[in-house]
Amino acid sequence: MLNAIWETEGLQTVGIVVLVFASIKLLHLLGLISFSEDSVEDELELSAVRHRPEGLEQLEAQTRFSRKELQILYRGFKNECPSGVVNEDTFKDIYSQFFPQGDASTYAHFLFNAFDTDHNGSVSFEDFVMGLSILLRGTVQEKLNWAFNLYDINKDGYITKEEMLDIMKAIYDMMGKCTYPVLKEETPRQHVEVFFQKMDKNKDGVVTIDEFIDCCQNDENIMRSMHLFENVL
């Protein structure tokens, strides 16, 4: 599926799709894609973890997951991450399994930083479900805000051409060699040149969040990609 998207819609759309698709793999590796019918406790079991998440009611109010979904998400999260947090190396391990023929480490680094909202070097259960809630069930505006944060590597409120190129090169390194036809080395830069010029409406050399959202909302392919994984959970 990703190969077809790559060929027809270009790297800019693939960047959005991979953002969500990679998160689906994270759920799969945590054993959370197919919800089992096993009974779960009514409250989160916290005794064995170093990081203690917020109460269910608060997380239910802050996300678009139901109470039972949060319970099951936490059970899988705790099983795989007994400390209650995920570090960057875990993200890299997950995406290296997803893209074994490429180098996913740089993209995993960028994605980890986007999930690590308080920038403390770890992703807590709250960080995890808040991000997933946006990526899987958020509005288009929320998803694009999240994507902008991913591309805004230094978190200064703007996307530079270099930042966009860094993300696209990371995607190329992660999956470019697995595409058909094989992408040329200059492909990421070519796509970035075209798409950055399209986004940077006032030609000041940076893309603001308003420019980013406006451009994406007027791109039929990107809008279609926003809805690809809405019914995963």
Side-chain angles (χ1 to χ4, degrees):
M1 181 179 64
L2 286 180
N3 284 359
I5 295 172
W6 191 298
E7 292 180 44
T8 60
E9 300 179 6
L11 273 173
Q12 67 275 7
T13 302
V14 171
I16 302 293
V17 174
V18 170
L19 172 63
V20 182
F21 197 45
S23 300
I24 306 307
K25 185 60 178 179
L26 184 62
L27 285 176
H28 173 71
L29 291 176
L30 290 176
L32 301 172
I33 286 296
S34 297
F35 285 159
S36 68
E37 295 301 321
D38 297 340
S39 61
V40 294
E41 298 297 326
D42 287 339
E43 294 297 333
L44 296 176
E45 204 263 77
L46 305 176
S47 59
V49 299
R50 173 163 52 84
H51 176 83
R52 295 175 180 270
E54 303 289 346
L56 278 180
E57 280 107 4
Q58 184 171 344
L59 286 175
E60 190 175 1
Q62 292 174 336
T63 68
R64 290 180 170 86
F65 294 123
S66 70
R67 183 184 184 87
K68 183 171 183 178
E69 287 170 337
L70 286 168
Q71 289 173 323
I72 298 172
L73 282 168
Y74 183 70
R75 183 173 59 181
F77 188 90
K78 187 185 68 173
N79 286 341
E80 295 298 321
C81 313
S83 68
V85 295
V86 178
N87 60 30
E88 186 173 327
D89 287 340
T90 302
F91 261 65
K92 290 180 178 179
D93 288 343
I94 287 171
Y95 295 121
S96 68
Q97 293 177 55
F98 191 21
F99 297 98
Q101 298 180 10
D103 180 1
S105 60
T106 303
Y107 188 80
H109 166 73
F110 291 141
L111 194 60
F112 178 84
N113 286 343
F115 270 98
D116 180 17
T117 54
D118 52 8
H119 309 298
N120 65 353
S122 62
V123 172
S124 66
F125 180 66
E126 295 94 328
D127 295 331
F128 178 66
V129 294
M130 293 289 283
L132 283 180
S133 177
I134 291 171
L135 290 172
L136 300 182
R137 296 183 179 173
T139 64
V140 168
Q141 181 93 9
E142 289 171 336
K143 291 177 182 178
L144 291 176
N145 274 319
W146 208 95
F148 180 89
N149 180 60
L150 174 73
Y151 281 83
D152 179 18
I153 295 172
N154 67 0
K155 312 306 178 194
D156 66 351
Y158 302 96
I159 299 173
T160 65
K161 188 181 295 185
E162 290 72 24
E163 286 176 321
M164 188 175 288
L165 183 59
D166 284 345
I167 296 291
M168 291 305 171
K169 281 182 175 178
I171 294 171
Y172 173 83
D173 289 342
M174 181 169 64
M175 62 180 295
K177 296 176 183 178
C178 303
T179 63
Y180 181 82
V182 175
L183 292 176
K184 297 179 181 179
E185 194 70 31
E186 65 271 18
T187 299
R189 184 175 294 278
Q190 291 172 345
H191 277 287
V192 167
E193 287 290 341
V194 172
F195 205 59
F196 193 87
Q197 291 303 316
K198 183 179 177 182
M199 281 190 165
D200 183 17
K201 295 185 181 298
N202 64 0
K203 308 304 177 188
D204 64 351
V206 295
V207 172
T208 66
I209 191 165
D210 290 337
E211 288 174 325
F212 181 84
I213 290 175
D214 181 65
C215 183
C216 290
Q217 286 181 330
N218 286 290
D219 188 303
E220 180 181 342
N221 293 325
I222 289 179
M223 284 300 94
R224 187 162 61 247
S225 76
M226 291 285 96
H227 303 290
L228 283 176
F229 304 104
E230 287 183 344
N231 297 315
V232 169
L233 293 180

